[in-house]
Amino acid sequence: AGSVDALLACSPAVLEAATELAAAASASCVVESGFVLPFQPRSFRDAGSYVQHMSQAVRGFVAVAGKEGHLLQMALSQIGKSLRLPFGVNPAARPGYYHGNPCTFIADGDEAPWPSTCGWLDYELEVAVLITRPVSREATAAEVAAALGGFVLINDFSARDVQADELVSVGFGFVKCKAAATAMGLDVVSSDELWAPGDRGSLFEGRGLRVEVKVNGEAWRGAGGEQSSTGMARACSLEALVRYMALDEGLQPGELIGMGTVPNCCGLEIGRWLQPGDEVALSAEGLGTLTNTVGHPPATAQNFKEVDCGGGAPPRPELTAVGRRLLRQYYELCKRPDEGQLAVLARVTDREASDVANWFAACERAESDKERARQRAEQAKAAGGAAGPSAAPRPPQQQLSPQQEKAIDALRARGNAAYQAGNLAEARKLYSQAISLDPSGASAHAHKLHSNLSAVYASLKEWNLSLLHASKCVDLDPHFAKGWSRMGAAHEQLEQFVKSVGAYRLCHLLDPDNMNAARAAERLEPSAGALCSAGAAAAVSGAEAFDEGEHKAAVAFITAAITTLGGHFFTDTAAQLFCNRAAAHASDNNFSLALLDAAQAVLQRPRWPQAHALKGRALRGLRQYDLAAASYRAALALDPSDDGVSDLLCVCLREAGEAPARGAPQVGGELPLPPGGAIRSSKRTQRGGVEVGDSKRPCFGGGTGGGCSSPHPPT
């Protein structure tokens, strides 16, 4: 179920809920950093529908062409285009568009890579429509209307200097100017909520949906300062645009169509350009917010005209999204890596060590610039003055008015009545409307809305969507037993038995009278144990290899355990596995990889002192003493009685040139560490940095293995 095709096989009621299309496909789009694409487009076409944008873009390109030496050619070609819009060649009959790259979509919160041949990087706020049913080559208006599944916010990042060169010199249309990245928002809204045939509905009628662009907190608008909207004049209707795209080709479910840049929502029109490190936030009424940080140019970045396309060694491929996220994660842990760390990171990301060093230096410069801006804003605020638009603070979390609370309660009550009457489509619609009025979950009943919507999708047998809303429910209120019960049911139907057992147990823990949950957990325990047996065996082999001093073999076995278990284990077990592997890496003096695994363990189980202690061990091995001391202090804050960690903190402070804290034990020399740098205390028996019980078998899935305590609700 994580693909677009599987998603589109859902019932018609769910297909119309484009808000939830993202969830069913998200399993294949989740990245290690947590950033998520709502779905992976099968293809991407992007049009130029808005008349004012096309006209204003001409003037913007004149400025770019003057800088790039194409003023005369660009002026002649673009003036001809501007005269044809909206006159001359009828754009309603032959609208212009280009084919983009569906493989370079990035998620909300992800970093937008800086194109290696770009000097003038731009953003473009657009609304895109997802095709959810086949469209024939000679489609009727009714066929097109039935195929429009949902709308999503996108940012079409564009290299304008490259675009100017391609328009004048290449002659094949867009080649590389829009190839680096297109960002997609997380919220997908079903088409019937915003649009109706004839371009009726809130998307285009009247002023349409108000949109906003903010860069580093400052609103970027046109010369008049007016806010743009999706209801501004377009060259052709949405139906005409889709029919023309389907002509002689047809369209298939999963294809995405951009409807063009909303006027005044790109830098080309207003004469402003993005810089490395900028935070770009696009927002549209009803479609949420899309935020991305602009990456830094690669070390091999060059002006487009200087690229040598003939002979010589091929250029090194651009840093991948996974590589960028890995470097970003490492940067958060270690701002200035030494030569050894740079060598490891370069090998992992397939870059030169100098490239990685330049990347870290650029990140540090951008962070310093932002910190200075923040300090200026605070000083201005303290002095009673305005901080200025570039230092505008982020808005506080949404606070609902009494009228909004009343409207949400009314929709919930109507949804409950529809659900009890068996009208699942109406219940889904009403619950979704109530949730859309409170996207931040500020309402007192927000968790119940998601729980109820989870029940609706369970009745529709749409288990991915049921799981999505059950997860949102327990995120909002981790002590709501019914949410855990709905999560257990969804995991069970998806054959994720380990998680199902844990969810049912949590439900019974919070609601001891719920014997159905207890019986379901007992019934699924054999299946969960069978699922984990292979992973458990690999983990045990890893622990045995570690005890025998075979650290590389231990890494291989533990990696196999993580791979075998996939997404079936709970966060506590994940933390134990990553901690085990971190200890093995540290014992092999591979502190860079040990740090990455220890950081993953902290992320999975933030209140586990052992994870913080192992992170401190890795940082200490990297001679990042200040950060290591902070990790040791975090471990002691969670377990003040661990004398071993206290001693290591004193050693770390002495190595950093600081005096031990008052009352701390004095250490005359560095304490020898146990194998793997694992911290041993008198209260515990540990192996490879991981706490174990009486059984030598590691635990999986919240208690299906020996020596494992029951899972607990997240705090």
Side-chain angles (χ1 to χ4, degrees), residues 373-545:
R374 185 190 65 80
Q375 291 175 357
R376 287 195 299 269
E378 290 182 352
Q379 292 170 0
K381 183 177 180 181
S390 63
R394 291 184 178 273
Q397 185 177 8
Q398 178 185 3
Q399 297 294 326
L400 300 180
S401 65
Q403 293 79 5
Q404 288 175 308
E405 290 275 11
K406 185 176 180 180
I408 291 172
D409 289 342
L411 287 169
R412 184 169 70 91
R414 290 171 57 194
N416 291 345
Y419 179 76
Q420 292 170 1
N423 190 345
L424 300 178
E426 181 68 12
R428 180 203 62 78
K429 180 178 179 180
L430 292 168
Y431 290 142
S432 297
Q433 288 177 352
I435 291 172
S436 69
L437 295 177
D438 179 25
S440 65
S443 168
H445 300 297
H447 64 290
K448 294 182 180 179
L449 285 170
H450 285 288
S451 175
N452 292 349
L453 194 51
S454 175
V456 170
Y457 283 120
S459 299
L460 292 169
K461 309 301 182 185
E462 301 296 343
W463 298 108
N464 279 301
L465 301 182
S466 179
L467 177 59
L468 169 75
H469 287 283
S471 300
K472 289 183 177 179
C473 169
V474 298
D475 284 344
L476 291 169
D477 185 356
H479 297 93
F480 187 61
K482 190 177 291 185
W484 290 106
S485 175
R486 300 204 193 286
M487 180 182 289
H491 279 307
E492 178 182 356
Q493 295 300 323
L494 293 171
E495 298 185 354
Q496 297 171 351
F497 300 122
V498 179
K499 288 185 176 181
S500 180
V501 169
Y504 280 134
R505 284 179 173 171
L506 281 168
C507 174
H508 186 238
L509 179 67
L510 295 167
D511 182 10
D513 294 333
N514 191 337
M515 298 307 299
N516 288 333
R519 285 191 288 269
E522 293 175 359
R523 173 172 51 82
L524 294 174
E525 276 184 351
S527 299
L531 181 68
C532 293
S533 59
V540 170
S541 297
E544 292 173 349

Side-chain angles (χ1 to χ4, degrees), residues 285-303:
E285 285 181 310
L287 291 172
T289 301
L290 170 59
T291 304
N292 299 95
T293 300
V294 179
H296 293 267
T300 55
Q302 51 192 311
N303 182 272

Side-chain angles (χ1 to χ4, degrees), residues 562-616:
I562 293 173
T563 303
T564 302
L565 290 171
H568 292 279
F569 55 74
F570 278 97
T571 55
D572 283 5
T573 304
Q576 291 170 339
L577 289 172
F578 281 117
C579 241
N580 272 349
R581 195 167 67 177
H585 279 312
S587 297
D588 205 27
N589 293 325
N590 198 338
F591 298 113
S592 298
L593 295 179
L595 178 57
L596 291 175
D597 278 344
Q600 284 281 2
V602 171
L603 181 66
Q604 297 283 349
R605 192 175 172 186
R607 297 190 62 80
W608 189 27
Q610 192 63 43
H612 291 278
L614 257 176
K615 182 179 173 183

Side-chain angles (χ1 to χ4, degrees), residues 116-117 162 165-166 169-170 175-176 302-315:
S116 60
T117 57
V162 180
D165 223 345
E166 291 174 351
S169 304
V170 179
V175 181
K176 285 296 183 184
Q302 51 192 311
N303 182 272
F304 181 67
K305 295 184 293 299
E306 297 175 351
V307 173
D308 181 11
C309 296

Side-chain angles (χ1 to χ4, degrees), residues 129-135 141-150 191 242 251 253:
V129 61
L130 175 65
I131 302 299
T132 57
R133 295 183 183 180
V135 180
E143 184 180 355
V144 169
L148 304 183
S191 58
V242 176
L251 296 172

